[in-house]
Amino acid sequence: MDITSIDKEILMFIQTNVRCNFLTPIMKAITYLGNSGLIWIIITLLLLMFKKTRKIGILSAIALIENLLICNVFLKQIIKRMRPYDRFSDLTRIIAKQSDYSFPSGHSAAAFASAMVIFKNGDKKIGIPALVLAILISASRLYVGVHYPSDVIGGIIVGMVCSYLAEFTLKGIQKLFNKKTEDKEVSKEGEE
């Protein structure tokens, strides 16, 4: 049994046994929160507004940009995985047809890129809810039928990698900025 067959079985189970009239509007709302990473962009902007959380906001912004490049510009275009509803006629989606490829899940990747930054670097009072939201958004992609489970797992991994990569990137930028500041100070001393 290959990964796509396992993915399909999980999606069929969700479609047959988990979907219900009560849960559907909730899961649709959660999935829409993740569209274009908008909720994570808003959270990042709010973090940037306050001095106490500005560094977390900067890290989240870097993680989201790196995620966009890795997930949407690079991986989706190279892998070009069909959406599950396009591949299997017995799988149904309950939201609009998606315009890009399936692997990895961009919603999951953006969610975990930002949420992991917040969780690792911020107060757990906001870090834990951010992770819970990331998990819910990721799960919603399976519920609405637009991603395979392996897409979501791949997105989570990409997002987590981007959260660590953002820290590495920020340290590199700070080193570069500090070096330029030191070089300017040395050249000023040489002029005196």
Side-chain angles (χ1 to χ4, degrees), residues 29-73:
I30 291 169
T31 217
Y32 293 144
L33 277 177
N35 285 358
S36 302
L38 188 60
I39 189 69
W40 303 107
I41 293 167
I42 291 168
I43 290 169
T44 298
L45 292 173
L46 288 172
L47 291 167
L48 287 167
M49 289 174 60
F50 304 100
K51 190 174 184 177
K52 184 179 176 184
T53 57
R54 192 160 295 138
K55 182 180 178 188
I56 301 167
I58 292 167
L59 285 167
S60 182
I62 293 168
L64 288 171
I65 292 166
E66 290 172 342
N67 172 68
L68 174 70
L69 295 172
I70 293 168
C71 181
N72 295 65
V73 176

Side-chain angles (χ1 to χ4, degrees), residues 89-110:
S89 59
D90 50 345
L91 286 171
T92 58
R93 60 184 163 76
I94 57 173
I95 62 169
K97 197 169 181 153
Q98 305 296 287
S99 61
D100 60 352
Y101 293 108
S102 197
F103 184 89
S105 165
H107 280 63
S108 302

Side-chain angles (χ1 to χ4, degrees), residues 25-188:
I26 295 168
M27 294 307 272
K28 281 183 173 182
I30 291 169
T31 217
Y32 293 144
L33 277 177
N35 285 358
S36 302
L38 188 60
I39 189 69
W40 303 107
I41 293 167
I42 291 168
I43 290 169
T44 298
L45 292 173
L46 288 172
L47 291 167
L48 287 167
M49 289 174 60
F50 304 100
K51 190 174 184 177
K52 184 179 176 184
T53 57
R54 192 160 295 138
K55 182 180 178 188
I56 301 167
I58 292 167
L59 285 167
S60 182
I62 293 168
L64 288 171
I65 292 166
E66 290 172 342
N67 172 68
L68 174 70
L69 295 172
I70 293 168
C71 181
N72 295 65
V73 176
F74 184 68
L75 289 175
K76 281 183 184 271
Q77 304 311 315
I78 288 176
I79 297 168
K80 297 184 178 183
R81 188 179 197 190
M82 288 175 66
R83 295 278 177 169
Y85 54 80
D86 287 329
R87 182 154 185 196
F88 302 105
S89 59
D90 50 345
L91 286 171
T92 58
R93 60 184 163 76
I94 57 173
I95 62 169
K97 197 169 181 153
Q98 305 296 287
S99 61
D100 60 352
Y101 293 108
S102 197
F103 184 89
S105 165
H107 280 63
S108 302
F112 273 86
S114 186
M116 282 299 293
V117 161
I118 296 166
F119 181 77
K120 289 186 307 179
N121 297 283
D123 188 327
K124 298 306 176 230
K125 289 177 189 169
I126 61 168
I128 292 171
L131 272 182
V132 169
L133 180 58
I135 292 165
L136 288 173
I137 287 173
S138 298
S140 76
R141 303 308 281 169
L142 303 175
Y143 185 93
V144 299
V146 297
H147 278 294
Y148 296 100
S150 56
D151 296 339
V152 169
I153 292 167
I156 290 168
I157 292 168
V158 169
M160 291 174 90
V161 167
C162 287
S163 75
Y164 286 97
L165 190 57
E167 292 177 11
F168 178 77
T169 303
L170 183 58
K171 284 178 184 168
I173 292 168
Q174 288 171 329
K175 273 185 183 175
L176 184 65
F177 180 77
N178 289 339
K179 174 141 178 50
K180 284 186 177 183
T181 305
E182 287 172 9
D183 290 346
K184 282 183 183 178
E185 288 172 5
V186 168
S187 68
K188 278 184 182 177

